[in-house]
Amino acid sequence: GVLFGTLDGGLGCLFPIDERHYRRLAHLAGRLTTELPHAAGLHPKAHRMFKGDRKQRFAHQRYKTPNIIDGDLVGEFTSLDASEQARLERRLGTRPEALHNIISAVTAELP
């Protein structure tokens, strides 16, 4: 994995996860993006998008990396009440404890 700092003082971590876990978590992140209210009204994807001049935006679109999951967004799932978690799990077509097991397994892999 890679631990990095951002220009605005944030910390980030990138590390590989199992393909099955990635697919479930990516699907969960997509659902959470559309179904949860977000802090300060900021859309999780839109407010993190690269903003530069036209040439930079073109290069970014050409080489963007869609295979990165927002861990903070996925982590919000665990803070939802049980009925909301169950509703999301039904909509995703997963077993009730499956997402908790995946999140726990991925969290255990953190460097």
Side-chain angles (χ1 to χ4, degrees):
V2 176
L3 184 64
F4 62 92
T6 64
L7 294 175
D8 63 356
L11 289 175
C13 180
L14 295 173
F15 62 97
I17 61 173
D18 182 74
E19 178 75 20
R20 292 174 303 124
H21 291 167
Y22 168 77
R23 290 183 186 277
R24 287 272 172 98
L25 293 178
H27 198 61
L28 173 62
R31 282 287 183 180
L32 292 172
T33 297
T34 58
E35 296 190 17
L36 289 184
H38 305 295
L42 297 173
H43 189 274
K45 289 183 182 177
H47 89 275
R48 289 184 176 91
M49 289 181 74
F50 176 75
K51 297 164 186 71
D53 65 21
R54 186 178 145 190
K55 190 180 216 181
Q56 290 170 324
R57 283 194 307 270
F58 174 74
H60 177 70
Q61 288 298 323
R62 187 171 178 196
Y63 299 109
K64 66 183 177 180
T65 55
N67 298 329
I68 296 177
I69 297 172
D70 183 346
D72 289 337
L73 180 62
V74 170
E76 287 184 30
F77 174 79
T78 60
S79 65
L80 297 173
D81 61 43
S83 63
E84 186 69 14
Q85 287 180 6
R87 185 183 70 80
L88 280 169
E89 288 169 334
R90 279 193 307 275
R91 293 189 80 181
L92 293 170
T94 63
R95 297 183 328 267
E97 66 284 342
L99 290 174
H100 281 284
N101 293 341
I102 291 170
I103 291 170
S104 296
V106 169
T107 304
E109 294 176 18
L110 283 171

